[in-house]
Amino acid sequence: MSILFNLTFFQIASIVISLLAFGAAFWLYKWVSSQPSSNQRIAEVGKLIRNGANTFLAKEYKTLVRFCTVAAILIFIFLPVPVWKGNVLDNVIMAVSYILGTIFSGIAGKIGISIATIANIKAAEAATKGIKPSFMSGFRGGAVMGMAVVGSSLLGVTLVFLITGDTTALLGFSFGASSMALFAKAGGGIFTKTADISADLCGKVELGIPEDDPRNPAVIADNVGDNVGDVAGMGADLFDSNVASMAAALVMAAALDKTAGGFVNAAMVFCYAAIGLFASLIGVLSARMKEGGDPTRALNTNTYVTTAIFAVLTAIATYAFDFKWEIWAASAIGLAVGVIIGIASDYFTDDRRPPVHAVAKACESGPAFTILSGVSYGLISALPSMIGIGVSALAAYKICEPLGNGYAMFGISMAAVGMLSIVGMIISNDAYGPIVDNARGLVEMGSLGDEALEITDSLDSAGNTVKAVTKGFAIGAAGLTVIALLGAFMSEVNTAATEAGMISAGENYIQGFDIINPVVFFGLLFGAAIPAVFSAMLMLGVDRNAQRMVAEIHRQFKEIVGLKEGKADPEYDKCIEIATHGAIKELIPAGLMVIICTILVGIIGGVQAIGGFITGNIISGLLFALFMSNSGGLWDNTKKYIEAGNNGGKGSDAHKAGVVGDTVGDPFKDTAGPSINTQITVVSLVASLTATIFLTFSLFG
């Protein structure tokens, strides 16, 4: 058999391309680090931000190590089957795979923090020389994160599958990544929005001082939050989605290959994932912006170039290796819909578009109208993305259905792989946002001049716009991924039922879920309620934490003589400490609630109820995530649009109403919204991993 048609060939190619991505990340890291920086004040503030971010990450990881240790022990005891009933080695492999998933995710987050806290300083000082060098420092800093995250995810999945040959172990690896992402995103989101809300309310609203005024005790915590929430948190989130999409596709591919003989479907998954990373690698290294150019256009152009490279290379690979063109079409549809979802998010959040202008106009009438209009546009914005996810799933299903039994759901999983194929570029764009946001604050605190401030304002505005697009993309990708995971859950149940002698080989124990069945409907309702409760728990955590920080800011302005006049330094570390302790305290309960409820539904209603639970969770979760992310992005850019001199400008009543809207939107877009897509992935993975247990034991299943 030719090496070109050997599964090992594609796995080795995936490892090589992963290593190339790490090499590119290292080169980009060195390039950013070598950029000049000499401003002493910026160096001091940058060090405070870096120390604060590392302190939080160390405490968060210490907490998560304890949680993951307990989880690994429970996985060893009960999965894939209770240790006293099955092969002990299978349980060991599952536990080790889970631990590896958490480690790979944690390393990716640490790399992101390391470069982001260097790139912010470099981008700030580069702004004195022009928009191009500042943009390149910010983008290449984000690209380190992009290459590291996707390289880690592809390498991890490939190694686990290559060594174990076990798709259930892949689900264990994916669950490790998901549990880490759930807590990293929730904890980082609570930290960043605690500081952001407190800094805005006390600074802009109460005292009328600028956003990044060094007199504000919360300003350093706010900048730290940008890194732990929007860099480490979002990196863990997209690492999780990428791993989950590949794991779901490989579970179904392995089942199809087992029936048909050979390995062509598994080879296709590795081939497409490797090409996606290679396309992102080319896109990142070739990214440029002309002096005086538009940073938003430059970021979007990079994305479109990467998309085109992936589409062309996968078509060539499909022809060369005689893969099925229907599967290629499914992945291409997923990729196209990902771009469409991004464009829809852009329309509702870009300050050049009508929705932002309409909300800015509403701000002139007061905060109540700001909230009403923002909520309304956020709800409307969910429709095109929900339809896009539905259309891509339907199209992929129908295109691949004629290929035979099981290929329809495999087509959906490959649409998810296609949508996430350019995730390296998406993460690069996303991490660029908090880097240039930090750079803007450093320019203000380092007094680098109005021209540098205008440049970083322009870069920050582009970051906010593109960040809204990448969040929409991440949520859409999570939607397709969890639909694929629903297929993986059904595949796991059918395989377990066959091994248990409940059905004959080739038969299906589950082909779908009848919502008229009261057990399924019970799970559907329960699952639909979880995203709402999960969101409330996170936002209440922000609320409680922000109230403590506001009280601390008031204390400092009252007790520190000369602080208001700028003659004394605030105690920045106090605010960082409040945000850190509060985030660590609040992050575990919400995540545990999700896992416990999934297991509870399985105990009550078995695999049928779990199927309904996953379905309800997907639909409700996607709706909440899209609504909150887009509303929050809309309010954020409305505030910036007013600050640019529109609808009364800074200091006007409309501006104060815009700040209130932005404050409400902060936990929407940066805490709850982007955490929900991780939550629905966790639910689907827990369900798949426990499928065998609930197939044989439940109260009413």
Side-chain angles (χ1 to χ4, degrees), residues 12-315:
I12 291 171
S14 296
I15 293 171
V16 169
I17 291 174
S18 298
L19 295 176
L20 283 175
F22 289 129
F26 179 75
W27 180 83
L28 290 165
Y29 192 105
K30 298 297 286 183
W31 185 91
V32 172
S33 300
S34 69
Q35 298 307 296
S37 55
S38 56
N39 186 292
Q40 190 61 36
R41 174 60 179 162
I42 286 181
E44 290 172 2
V45 176
K47 186 178 179 182
L48 287 171
I49 295 170
R50 184 164 54 254
N51 290 344
N54 286 328
T55 298
F56 171 76
L57 213 61
K59 289 186 177 180
E60 182 182 53
Y61 282 5
K62 193 177 290 183
T63 301
L64 293 181
V65 162
R66 291 196 288 268
F67 170 83
C68 293
T69 300
V70 173
I73 292 170
L74 292 173
I75 287 170
F76 168 72
I77 295 172
F78 293 108
L79 298 177
V81 294
V83 70
W84 56 89
K85 287 186 177 181
N87 185 344
V88 175
L89 183 60
D90 290 341
N91 292 61
V92 170
I93 289 171
M94 182 67 75
V96 171
S97 297
Y98 170 81
I99 292 168
L100 284 175
T102 64
I103 290 171
F104 271 71
S105 180
I107 290 171
K110 178 63 177 175
I111 290 171
I113 287 289
S114 298
I115 185 60
T117 51
I118 294 172
N120 57 3
I121 295 172
K122 306 298 184 178
E125 295 215 29
T128 60
K129 298 175 184 175
I131 194 168
K132 180 182 176 181
S134 188
F135 171 85
M136 291 304 294
S137 292
F139 176 77
R140 286 188 165 175
V144 174
M145 181 72 168
M147 293 297 97
V149 165
V150 188
S152 296
S153 59
L154 181 57
L155 182 64
V157 168
T158 305
L159 288 176
V160 169
F161 193 68
L162 184 63
I163 293 168
T164 67
D166 183 2
T167 53
T168 306
L170 274 181
L171 292 175
F173 180 82
S174 184
F175 180 49
S178 293
S179 58
M180 193 72 172
L182 182 67
F183 294 122
K185 191 64 197 158
I190 291 169
F191 184 109
T192 185
K193 292 306 109 181
T194 293
D196 198 356
I197 287 173
S198 303
D200 276 357
L201 285 178
C202 294
K204 287 184 176 181
V205 177
E206 291 182 15
L207 299 170
I209 60 178
E211 182 171 351
D212 293 300
D213 195 300
R215 291 173 292 174
N216 192 330
V219 73
I220 300 297
D222 186 11
N223 285 312
V224 170
D226 289 335
N227 291 286
V228 299
D230 291 337
V231 177
M234 183 56 81
D237 178 8
L238 285 168
F239 177 89
D240 155 49
S241 293
N242 201 35
V243 168
S245 71
M246 285 190 283
L250 284 167
V251 166
M252 284 181 273
L256 290 169
D257 289 339
K258 188 176 181 180
T259 302
F263 43 77
V264 66
N265 294 300
M268 200 172 191
V269 176
F270 283 112
C271 181
Y272 279 27
I275 288 174
L277 178 52
F278 185 67
S280 293
L281 184 61
I282 295 171
V284 161
L285 294 178
S286 63
R288 298 288 185 274
M289 190 186 83
K290 296 178 181 177
E291 188 60 54
D294 180 356
T296 302
R297 181 175 298 173
L299 291 168
N300 287 334
T301 300
N302 296 339
T303 302
Y304 299 144
V305 167
T306 305
T307 300
I309 293 170
F310 174 80
V312 171
L313 289 181
T314 48

Side-chain angles (χ1 to χ4, degrees), residues 392-416:
S392 60
L394 178 62
Y397 189 96
K398 287 299 181 183
I399 287 171
C400 298
E401 193 174 25
L403 293 175
N405 186 33
Y407 275 98
M409 286 303 295
F410 180 58
I412 294 176
S413 72
M414 288 305 289

Side-chain angles (χ1 to χ4, degrees), residues 120 122-138 289-296 299 432-433 435-444 448-464 640:
N120 57 3
K122 306 298 184 178
E125 295 215 29
T128 60
K129 298 175 184 175
I131 194 168
K132 180 182 176 181
S134 188
F135 171 85
M136 291 304 294
S137 292
M289 190 186 83
K290 296 178 181 177
E291 188 60 54
D294 180 356
T296 302
L299 291 168
Y432 157 90
I435 288 171
V436 295
D437 189 3
N438 267 204
R440 187 223 175 270
L442 290 170
V443 165
E444 189 167 307
L448 294 186
D450 291 340
E451 188 177 342
L453 196 58
E454 284 177 19
I455 285 172
T456 48
D457 271 334
S458 172
L459 296 175
D460 186 25
S461 177
N464 278 323
K640 286 182 167 58

Side-chain angles (χ1 to χ4, degrees), residues 217 549 552 555-556 571-580:
M549 190 176 290
E552 171 60 22
R555 181 197 70 78
Q556 291 197 31
E571 297 172 354
Y572 297 122
D573 58 315
K574 299 285 187 186
C575 288
I576 294 172
E577 192 177 328
I578 288 171
T580 299

